[in-house]
mmCIF file with all atom_site columns, all heavy atoms in Angstrom:
data_model
loop_
_atom_site.group_PDB
_atom_site.id
_atom_site.type_symbol
_atom_site.label_atom_id
_atom_site.label_alt_id
_atom_site.label_comp_id
_atom_site.label_asym_id
_atom_site.label_entity_id
_atom_site.label_seq_id
_atom_site.pdbx_PDB_ins_code
_atom_site.Cartn_x
_atom_site.Cartn_y
_atom_site.Cartn_z
_atom_site.occupancy
_atom_site.B_iso_or_equiv
_atom_site.pdbx_formal_charge
_atom_site.auth_seq_id
_atom_site.auth_comp_id
_atom_site.auth_asym_id
_atom_site.auth_atom_id
_atom_site.pdbx_PDB_model_num
ATOM 1   N N   . GLN A 1 156 ? -6.460  -4.559  -23.167 1.00 0.00 ? 171 GLN A N   1
ATOM 2   C CA  . GLN A 1 156 ? -5.100  -4.073  -23.430 1.00 0.00 ? 171 GLN A CA  1
ATOM 3   C C   . GLN A 1 156 ? -5.020  -3.385  -24.792 1.00 0.00 ? 171 GLN A C   1
ATOM 4   O O   . GLN A 1 156 ? -4.470  -2.292  -24.925 1.00 0.00 ? 171 GLN A O   1
ATOM 5   C CB  . GLN A 1 156 ? -4.107  -5.235  -23.418 1.00 0.00 ? 171 GLN A CB  1
ATOM 6   C CG  . GLN A 1 156 ? -3.587  -5.617  -22.047 1.00 0.00 ? 171 GLN A CG  1
ATOM 7   C CD  . GLN A 1 156 ? -2.457  -6.597  -22.192 1.00 0.00 ? 171 GLN A CD  1
ATOM 8   O OE1 . GLN A 1 156 ? -2.606  -7.641  -22.809 1.00 0.00 ? 171 GLN A OE1 1
ATOM 9   N NE2 . GLN A 1 156 ? -1.321  -6.273  -21.635 1.00 0.00 ? 171 GLN A NE2 1
ATOM 10  N N   . VAL A 1 157 ? -5.563  -4.051  -25.800 1.00 0.00 ? 172 VAL A N   1
ATOM 11  C CA  . VAL A 1 157 ? -5.516  -3.501  -27.161 1.00 0.00 ? 172 VAL A CA  1
ATOM 12  C C   . VAL A 1 157 ? -6.338  -2.217  -27.231 1.00 0.00 ? 172 VAL A C   1
ATOM 13  O O   . VAL A 1 157 ? -5.905  -1.212  -27.819 1.00 0.00 ? 172 VAL A O   1
ATOM 14  C CB  . VAL A 1 157 ? -6.009  -4.539  -28.185 1.00 0.00 ? 172 VAL A CB  1
ATOM 15  C CG1 . VAL A 1 157 ? -6.156  -3.913  -29.572 1.00 0.00 ? 172 VAL A CG1 1
ATOM 16  C CG2 . VAL A 1 157 ? -5.041  -5.724  -28.246 1.00 0.00 ? 172 VAL A CG2 1
ATOM 17  N N   . PHE A 1 158 ? -7.511  -2.234  -26.630 1.00 0.00 ? 173 PHE A N   1
ATOM 18  C CA  . PHE A 1 158 ? -8.345  -1.028  -26.587 1.00 0.00 ? 173 PHE A CA  1
ATOM 19  C C   . PHE A 1 158 ? -7.579  0.142   -25.966 1.00 0.00 ? 173 PHE A C   1
ATOM 20  O O   . PHE A 1 158 ? -7.568  1.256   -26.515 1.00 0.00 ? 173 PHE A O   1
ATOM 21  C CB  . PHE A 1 158 ? -9.619  -1.306  -25.780 1.00 0.00 ? 173 PHE A CB  1
ATOM 22  C CG  . PHE A 1 158 ? -10.231 -0.087  -25.150 1.00 0.00 ? 173 PHE A CG  1
ATOM 23  C CD1 . PHE A 1 158 ? -10.877 0.871   -25.924 1.00 0.00 ? 173 PHE A CD1 1
ATOM 24  C CD2 . PHE A 1 158 ? -10.133 0.133   -23.785 1.00 0.00 ? 173 PHE A CD2 1
ATOM 25  C CE1 . PHE A 1 158 ? -11.423 2.015   -25.348 1.00 0.00 ? 173 PHE A CE1 1
ATOM 26  C CE2 . PHE A 1 158 ? -10.673 1.261   -23.191 1.00 0.00 ? 173 PHE A CE2 1
ATOM 27  C CZ  . PHE A 1 158 ? -11.326 2.209   -23.972 1.00 0.00 ? 173 PHE A CZ  1
ATOM 28  N N   . TYR A 1 159 ? -6.948  -0.089  -24.819 1.00 0.00 ? 174 TYR A N   1
ATOM 29  C CA  . TYR A 1 159 ? -6.242  0.975   -24.104 1.00 0.00 ? 174 TYR A CA  1
ATOM 30  C C   . TYR A 1 159 ? -5.127  1.562   -24.966 1.00 0.00 ? 174 TYR A C   1
ATOM 31  O O   . TYR A 1 159 ? -4.940  2.776   -25.027 1.00 0.00 ? 174 TYR A O   1
ATOM 32  C CB  . TYR A 1 159 ? -5.675  0.414   -22.797 1.00 0.00 ? 174 TYR A CB  1
ATOM 33  C CG  . TYR A 1 159 ? -5.040  1.443   -21.889 1.00 0.00 ? 174 TYR A CG  1
ATOM 34  C CD1 . TYR A 1 159 ? -5.809  2.202   -21.013 1.00 0.00 ? 174 TYR A CD1 1
ATOM 35  C CD2 . TYR A 1 159 ? -3.660  1.666   -21.905 1.00 0.00 ? 174 TYR A CD2 1
ATOM 36  C CE1 . TYR A 1 159 ? -5.232  3.144   -20.172 1.00 0.00 ? 174 TYR A CE1 1
ATOM 37  C CE2 . TYR A 1 159 ? -3.078  2.604   -21.067 1.00 0.00 ? 174 TYR A CE2 1
ATOM 38  C CZ  . TYR A 1 159 ? -3.871  3.336   -20.203 1.00 0.00 ? 174 TYR A CZ  1
ATOM 39  O OH  . TYR A 1 159 ? -3.287  4.273   -19.385 1.00 0.00 ? 174 TYR A OH  1
ATOM 40  N N   . LYS A 1 160 ? -4.409  0.703   -25.663 1.00 0.00 ? 175 LYS A N   1
ATOM 41  C CA  . LYS A 1 160 ? -3.299  1.173   -26.494 1.00 0.00 ? 175 LYS A CA  1
ATOM 42  C C   . LYS A 1 160 ? -3.795  1.923   -27.736 1.00 0.00 ? 175 LYS A C   1
ATOM 43  O O   . LYS A 1 160 ? -3.235  2.957   -28.114 1.00 0.00 ? 175 LYS A O   1
ATOM 44  C CB  . LYS A 1 160 ? -2.403  -0.009  -26.891 1.00 0.00 ? 175 LYS A CB  1
ATOM 45  C CG  . LYS A 1 160 ? -1.598  -0.581  -25.721 1.00 0.00 ? 175 LYS A CG  1
ATOM 46  C CD  . LYS A 1 160 ? -0.764  -1.772  -26.154 1.00 0.00 ? 175 LYS A CD  1
ATOM 47  C CE  . LYS A 1 160 ? 0.019   -2.334  -24.987 1.00 0.00 ? 175 LYS A CE  1
ATOM 48  N NZ  . LYS A 1 160 ? 1.033   -1.380  -24.477 1.00 0.00 ? 175 LYS A NZ  1
ATOM 49  N N   . LEU A 1 161 ? -4.835  1.406   -28.350 1.00 0.00 ? 176 LEU A N   1
ATOM 50  C CA  . LEU A 1 161 ? -5.408  2.107   -29.504 1.00 0.00 ? 176 LEU A CA  1
ATOM 51  C C   . LEU A 1 161 ? -5.933  3.474   -29.087 1.00 0.00 ? 176 LEU A C   1
ATOM 52  O O   . LEU A 1 161 ? -5.701  4.477   -29.765 1.00 0.00 ? 176 LEU A O   1
ATOM 53  C CB  . LEU A 1 161 ? -6.542  1.280   -30.116 1.00 0.00 ? 176 LEU A CB  1
ATOM 54  C CG  . LEU A 1 161 ? -6.145  0.029   -30.903 1.00 0.00 ? 176 LEU A CG  1
ATOM 55  C CD1 . LEU A 1 161 ? -7.380  -0.818  -31.185 1.00 0.00 ? 176 LEU A CD1 1
ATOM 56  C CD2 . LEU A 1 161 ? -5.442  0.403   -32.209 1.00 0.00 ? 176 LEU A CD2 1
ATOM 57  N N   . ALA A 1 162 ? -6.638  3.517   -27.964 1.00 0.00 ? 177 ALA A N   1
ATOM 58  C CA  . ALA A 1 162 ? -7.189  4.785   -27.481 1.00 0.00 ? 177 ALA A CA  1
ATOM 59  C C   . ALA A 1 162 ? -6.089  5.777   -27.130 1.00 0.00 ? 177 ALA A C   1
ATOM 60  O O   . ALA A 1 162 ? -6.287  6.993   -27.218 1.00 0.00 ? 177 ALA A O   1
ATOM 61  C CB  . ALA A 1 162 ? -8.077  4.533   -26.260 1.00 0.00 ? 177 ALA A CB  1
ATOM 62  N N   . SER A 1 163 ? -4.925  5.264   -26.746 1.00 0.00 ? 178 SER A N   1
ATOM 63  C CA  . SER A 1 163 ? -3.794  6.127   -26.404 1.00 0.00 ? 178 SER A CA  1
ATOM 64  C C   . SER A 1 163 ? -3.005  6.578   -27.623 1.00 0.00 ? 178 SER A C   1
ATOM 65  O O   . SER A 1 163 ? -2.007  7.289   -27.496 1.00 0.00 ? 178 SER A O   1
ATOM 66  C CB  . SER A 1 163 ? -2.861  5.390   -25.433 1.00 0.00 ? 178 SER A CB  1
ATOM 67  O OG  . SER A 1 163 ? -3.543  5.047   -24.245 1.00 0.00 ? 178 SER A OG  1
ATOM 68  N N   . GLY A 1 164 ? -3.430  6.129   -28.819 1.00 0.00 ? 179 GLY A N   1
ATOM 69  C CA  . GLY A 1 164 ? -2.795  6.596   -30.045 1.00 0.00 ? 179 GLY A CA  1
ATOM 70  C C   . GLY A 1 164 ? -1.747  5.668   -30.627 1.00 0.00 ? 179 GLY A C   1
ATOM 71  O O   . GLY A 1 164 ? -1.057  6.032   -31.591 1.00 0.00 ? 179 GLY A O   1
ATOM 72  N N   . LYS A 1 165 ? -1.617  4.465   -30.077 1.00 0.00 ? 180 LYS A N   1
ATOM 73  C CA  . LYS A 1 165 ? -0.622  3.519   -30.616 1.00 0.00 ? 180 LYS A CA  1
ATOM 74  C C   . LYS A 1 165 ? -1.131  2.907   -31.918 1.00 0.00 ? 180 LYS A C   1
ATOM 75  O O   . LYS A 1 165 ? -2.329  2.646   -32.079 1.00 0.00 ? 180 LYS A O   1
ATOM 76  C CB  . LYS A 1 165 ? -0.346  2.403   -29.603 1.00 0.00 ? 180 LYS A CB  1
ATOM 77  C CG  . LYS A 1 165 ? 0.264   2.850   -28.275 1.00 0.00 ? 180 LYS A CG  1
ATOM 78  C CD  . LYS A 1 165 ? 1.748   3.128   -28.409 1.00 0.00 ? 180 LYS A CD  1
ATOM 79  C CE  . LYS A 1 165 ? 2.375   3.569   -27.095 1.00 0.00 ? 180 LYS A CE  1
ATOM 80  N NZ  . LYS A 1 165 ? 2.507   2.461   -26.154 1.00 0.00 ? 180 LYS A NZ  1
ATOM 81  N N   . SER A 1 166 ? -0.205  2.638   -32.833 1.00 0.00 ? 181 SER A N   1
ATOM 82  C CA  . SER A 1 166 ? -0.569  1.997   -34.092 1.00 0.00 ? 181 SER A CA  1
ATOM 83  C C   . SER A 1 166 ? -0.595  0.478   -33.900 1.00 0.00 ? 181 SER A C   1
ATOM 84  O O   . SER A 1 166 ? 0.011   -0.050  -32.966 1.00 0.00 ? 181 SER A O   1
ATOM 85  C CB  . SER A 1 166 ? 0.467   2.342   -35.171 1.00 0.00 ? 181 SER A CB  1
ATOM 86  O OG  . SER A 1 166 ? 1.700   1.692   -34.884 1.00 0.00 ? 181 SER A OG  1
ATOM 87  N N   . PRO A 1 167 ? -1.289  -0.255  -34.793 1.00 0.00 ? 182 PRO A N   1
ATOM 88  C CA  . PRO A 1 167 ? -1.279  -1.724  -34.700 1.00 0.00 ? 182 PRO A CA  1
ATOM 89  C C   . PRO A 1 167 ? 0.136   -2.305  -34.707 1.00 0.00 ? 182 PRO A C   1
ATOM 90  O O   . PRO A 1 167 ? 0.404   -3.284  -34.011 1.00 0.00 ? 182 PRO A O   1
ATOM 91  C CB  . PRO A 1 167 ? -2.079  -2.150  -35.934 1.00 0.00 ? 182 PRO A CB  1
ATOM 92  C CG  . PRO A 1 167 ? -3.026  -1.021  -36.162 1.00 0.00 ? 182 PRO A CG  1
ATOM 93  C CD  . PRO A 1 167 ? -2.233  0.215   -35.822 1.00 0.00 ? 182 PRO A CD  1
ATOM 94  N N   . THR A 1 168 ? 1.040   -1.705  -35.477 1.00 0.00 ? 183 THR A N   1
ATOM 95  C CA  . THR A 1 168 ? 2.416   -2.198  -35.514 1.00 0.00 ? 183 THR A CA  1
ATOM 96  C C   . THR A 1 168 ? 3.098   -2.029  -34.164 1.00 0.00 ? 183 THR A C   1
ATOM 97  O O   . THR A 1 168 ? 3.779   -2.946  -33.673 1.00 0.00 ? 183 THR A O   1
ATOM 98  C CB  . THR A 1 168 ? 3.223   -1.444  -36.596 1.00 0.00 ? 183 THR A CB  1
ATOM 99  O OG1 . THR A 1 168 ? 2.573   -1.597  -37.861 1.00 0.00 ? 183 THR A OG1 1
ATOM 100 C CG2 . THR A 1 168 ? 4.645   -1.981  -36.692 1.00 0.00 ? 183 THR A CG2 1
ATOM 101 N N   . GLU A 1 169 ? 2.915   -0.868  -33.529 1.00 0.00 ? 184 GLU A N   1
ATOM 102 C CA  . GLU A 1 169 ? 3.495   -0.628  -32.200 1.00 0.00 ? 184 GLU A CA  1
ATOM 103 C C   . GLU A 1 169 ? 2.905   -1.586  -31.172 1.00 0.00 ? 184 GLU A C   1
ATOM 104 O O   . GLU A 1 169 ? 3.630   -2.153  -30.331 1.00 0.00 ? 184 GLU A O   1
ATOM 105 C CB  . GLU A 1 169 ? 3.234   0.818   -31.767 1.00 0.00 ? 184 GLU A CB  1
ATOM 106 C CG  . GLU A 1 169 ? 4.008   1.866   -32.535 1.00 0.00 ? 184 GLU A CG  1
ATOM 107 C CD  . GLU A 1 169 ? 3.582   3.276   -32.157 1.00 0.00 ? 184 GLU A CD  1
ATOM 108 O OE1 . GLU A 1 169 ? 2.369   3.569   -32.178 1.00 0.00 ? 184 GLU A OE1 1
ATOM 109 O OE2 . GLU A 1 169 ? 4.471   4.080   -31.846 1.00 0.00 ? 184 GLU A OE2 1
ATOM 110 N N   . ILE A 1 170 ? 1.601   -1.785  -31.243 1.00 0.00 ? 185 ILE A N   1
ATOM 111 C CA  . ILE A 1 170 ? 0.930   -2.671  -30.289 1.00 0.00 ? 185 ILE A CA  1
ATOM 112 C C   . ILE A 1 170 ? 1.418   -4.100  -30.471 1.00 0.00 ? 185 ILE A C   1
ATOM 113 O O   . ILE A 1 170 ? 1.684   -4.816  -29.491 1.00 0.00 ? 185 ILE A O   1
ATOM 114 C CB  . ILE A 1 170 ? -0.605  -2.590  -30.455 1.00 0.00 ? 185 ILE A CB  1
ATOM 115 C CG1 . ILE A 1 170 ? -1.092  -1.176  -30.124 1.00 0.00 ? 185 ILE A CG1 1
ATOM 116 C CG2 . ILE A 1 170 ? -1.294  -3.611  -29.563 1.00 0.00 ? 185 ILE A CG2 1
ATOM 117 C CD1 . ILE A 1 170 ? -2.544  -0.924  -30.488 1.00 0.00 ? 185 ILE A CD1 1
ATOM 118 N N   . ALA A 1 171 ? 1.542   -4.522  -31.723 1.00 0.00 ? 186 ALA A N   1
ATOM 119 C CA  . ALA A 1 171 ? 2.024   -5.875  -32.004 1.00 0.00 ? 186 ALA A CA  1
ATOM 120 C C   . ALA A 1 171 ? 3.404   -6.096  -31.396 1.00 0.00 ? 186 ALA A C   1
ATOM 121 O O   . ALA A 1 171 ? 3.679   -7.141  -30.790 1.00 0.00 ? 186 ALA A O   1
ATOM 122 C CB  . ALA A 1 171 ? 2.060   -6.111  -33.521 1.00 0.00 ? 186 ALA A CB  1
ATOM 123 N N   . SER A 1 172 ? 4.273   -5.104  -31.541 1.00 0.00 ? 187 SER A N   1
ATOM 124 C CA  . SER A 1 172 ? 5.624   -5.201  -30.990 1.00 0.00 ? 187 SER A CA  1
ATOM 125 C C   . SER A 1 172 ? 5.606   -5.263  -29.465 1.00 0.00 ? 187 SER A C   1
ATOM 126 O O   . SER A 1 172 ? 6.313   -6.069  -28.852 1.00 0.00 ? 187 SER A O   1
ATOM 127 C CB  . SER A 1 172 ? 6.451   -3.995  -31.456 1.00 0.00 ? 187 SER A CB  1
ATOM 128 O OG  . SER A 1 172 ? 7.729   -3.999  -30.848 1.00 0.00 ? 187 SER A OG  1
ATOM 129 N N   . GLU A 1 173 ? 4.783   -4.441  -28.836 1.00 0.00 ? 188 GLU A N   1
ATOM 130 C CA  . GLU A 1 173 ? 4.741   -4.382  -27.370 1.00 0.00 ? 188 GLU A CA  1
ATOM 131 C C   . GLU A 1 173 ? 4.117   -5.630  -26.752 1.00 0.00 ? 188 GLU A C   1
ATOM 132 O O   . GLU A 1 173 ? 4.509   -6.049  -25.662 1.00 0.00 ? 188 GLU A O   1
ATOM 133 C CB  . GLU A 1 173 ? 3.970   -3.137  -26.920 1.00 0.00 ? 188 GLU A CB  1
ATOM 134 C CG  . GLU A 1 173 ? 4.703   -1.836  -27.213 1.00 0.00 ? 188 GLU A CG  1
ATOM 135 C CD  . GLU A 1 173 ? 3.897   -0.605  -26.808 1.00 0.00 ? 188 GLU A CD  1
ATOM 136 O OE1 . GLU A 1 173 ? 2.838   -0.768  -26.174 1.00 0.00 ? 188 GLU A OE1 1
ATOM 137 O OE2 . GLU A 1 173 ? 4.334   0.515   -27.133 1.00 0.00 ? 188 GLU A OE2 1
ATOM 138 N N   . LEU A 1 174 ? 3.141   -6.229  -27.443 1.00 0.00 ? 189 LEU A N   1
ATOM 139 C CA  . LEU A 1 174 ? 2.434   -7.382  -26.891 1.00 0.00 ? 189 LEU A CA  1
ATOM 140 C C   . LEU A 1 174 ? 2.914   -8.712  -27.466 1.00 0.00 ? 189 LEU A C   1
ATOM 141 O O   . LEU A 1 174 ? 2.369   -9.769  -27.148 1.00 0.00 ? 189 LEU A O   1
ATOM 142 C CB  . LEU A 1 174 ? 0.923   -7.235  -27.133 1.00 0.00 ? 189 LEU A CB  1
ATOM 143 C CG  . LEU A 1 174 ? 0.235   -6.046  -26.460 1.00 0.00 ? 189 LEU A CG  1
ATOM 144 C CD1 . LEU A 1 174 ? -1.265  -6.056  -26.756 1.00 0.00 ? 189 LEU A CD1 1
ATOM 145 C CD2 . LEU A 1 174 ? 0.470   -6.051  -24.962 1.00 0.00 ? 189 LEU A CD2 1
ATOM 146 N N   . PHE A 1 175 ? 3.943   -8.648  -28.327 1.00 0.00 ? 190 PHE A N   1
ATOM 147 C CA  . PHE A 1 175 ? 4.503   -9.855  -28.951 1.00 0.00 ? 190 PHE A CA  1
ATOM 148 C C   . PHE A 1 175 ? 3.435   -10.634 -29.721 1.00 0.00 ? 190 PHE A C   1
ATOM 149 O O   . PHE A 1 175 ? 3.292   -11.845 -29.592 1.00 0.00 ? 190 PHE A O   1
ATOM 150 C CB  . PHE A 1 175 ? 5.173   -10.758 -27.890 1.00 0.00 ? 190 PHE A CB  1
ATOM 151 C CG  . PHE A 1 175 ? 6.244   -10.054 -27.104 1.00 0.00 ? 190 PHE A CG  1
ATOM 152 C CD1 . PHE A 1 175 ? 5.983   -9.616  -25.814 1.00 0.00 ? 190 PHE A CD1 1
ATOM 153 C CD2 . PHE A 1 175 ? 7.490   -9.800  -27.654 1.00 0.00 ? 190 PHE A CD2 1
ATOM 154 C CE1 . PHE A 1 175 ? 6.955   -8.943  -25.086 1.00 0.00 ? 190 PHE A CE1 1
ATOM 155 C CE2 . PHE A 1 175 ? 8.475   -9.137  -26.936 1.00 0.00 ? 190 PHE A CE2 1
ATOM 156 C CZ  . PHE A 1 175 ? 8.194   -8.706  -25.652 1.00 0.00 ? 190 PHE A CZ  1
ATOM 157 N N   . LEU A 1 176 ? 2.677   -9.880  -30.515 1.00 0.00 ? 191 LEU A N   1
ATOM 158 C CA  . LEU A 1 176 ? 1.640   -10.453 -31.365 1.00 0.00 ? 191 LEU A CA  1
ATOM 159 C C   . LEU A 1 176 ? 1.926   -10.066 -32.814 1.00 0.00 ? 191 LEU A C   1
ATOM 160 O O   . LEU A 1 176 ? 2.721   -9.168  -33.084 1.00 0.00 ? 191 LEU A O   1
ATOM 161 C CB  . LEU A 1 176 ? 0.252   -9.917  -30.977 1.00 0.00 ? 191 LEU A CB  1
ATOM 162 C CG  . LEU A 1 176 ? -0.236  -10.173 -29.553 1.00 0.00 ? 191 LEU A CG  1
ATOM 163 C CD1 . LEU A 1 176 ? -1.519  -9.390  -29.303 1.00 0.00 ? 191 LEU A CD1 1
ATOM 164 C CD2 . LEU A 1 176 ? -0.473  -11.658 -29.320 1.00 0.00 ? 191 LEU A CD2 1
ATOM 165 N N   . SER A 1 177 ? 1.261   -10.731 -33.757 1.00 0.00 ? 192 SER A N   1
ATOM 166 C CA  . SER A 1 177 ? 1.371   -10.300 -35.143 1.00 0.00 ? 192 SER A CA  1
ATOM 167 C C   . SER A 1 177 ? 0.437   -9.109  -35.362 1.00 0.00 ? 192 SER A C   1
ATOM 168 O O   . SER A 1 177 ? -0.541  -8.925  -34.623 1.00 0.00 ? 192 SER A O   1
ATOM 169 C CB  . SER A 1 177 ? 0.979   -11.439 -36.082 1.00 0.00 ? 192 SER A CB  1
ATOM 170 O OG  . SER A 1 177 ? -0.414  -11.706 -35.975 1.00 0.00 ? 192 SER A OG  1
ATOM 171 N N   . VAL A 1 178 ? 0.743   -8.314  -36.372 1.00 0.00 ? 193 VAL A N   1
ATOM 172 C CA  . VAL A 1 178 ? -0.120  -7.174  -36.706 1.00 0.00 ? 193 VAL A CA  1
ATOM 173 C C   . VAL A 1 178 ? -1.516  -7.674  -37.077 1.00 0.00 ? 193 VAL A C   1
ATOM 174 O O   . VAL A 1 178 ? -2.533  -7.057  -36.731 1.00 0.00 ? 193 VAL A O   1
ATOM 175 C CB  . VAL A 1 178 ? 0.487   -6.353  -37.861 1.00 0.00 ? 193 VAL A CB  1
ATOM 176 C CG1 . VAL A 1 178 ? -0.465  -5.248  -38.301 1.00 0.00 ? 193 VAL A CG1 1
ATOM 177 C CG2 . VAL A 1 178 ? 1.825   -5.746  -37.445 1.00 0.00 ? 193 VAL A CG2 1
ATOM 178 N N   . LYS A 1 179 ? -1.581  -8.820  -37.746 1.00 0.00 ? 194 LYS A N   1
ATOM 179 C CA  . LYS A 1 179 ? -2.867  -9.402  -38.124 1.00 0.00 ? 194 LYS A CA  1
ATOM 180 C C   . LYS A 1 179 ? -3.703  -9.732  -36.882 1.00 0.00 ? 194 LYS A C   1
ATOM 181 O O   . LYS A 1 179 ? -4.915  -9.474  -36.846 1.00 0.00 ? 194 LYS A O   1
ATOM 182 C CB  . LYS A 1 179 ? -2.649  -10.661 -38.961 1.00 0.00 ? 194 LYS A CB  1
ATOM 183 C CG  . LYS A 1 179 ? -3.939  -11.282 -39.467 1.00 0.00 ? 194 LYS A CG  1
ATOM 184 C CD  . LYS A 1 179 ? -3.655  -12.499 -40.334 1.00 0.00 ? 194 LYS A CD  1
ATOM 185 C CE  . LYS A 1 179 ? -4.961  -13.137 -40.812 1.00 0.00 ? 194 LYS A CE  1
ATOM 186 N NZ  . LYS A 1 179 ? -4.698  -14.343 -41.638 1.00 0.00 ? 194 LYS A NZ  1
#
Side-chain angles (χ1 to χ4, degrees):
Q171 275 190 304
V172 172
F173 154 72
Y174 186 84
K175 290 178 180 295
L176 287 168
S178 300
K180 297 282 180 73
S181 70
T183 303
E184 290 174 309
I185 297 170
S187 175
E188 291 178 7
L189 297 182
F190 303 103
L191 300 171
S192 69
V193 175
K194 183 178 179 181

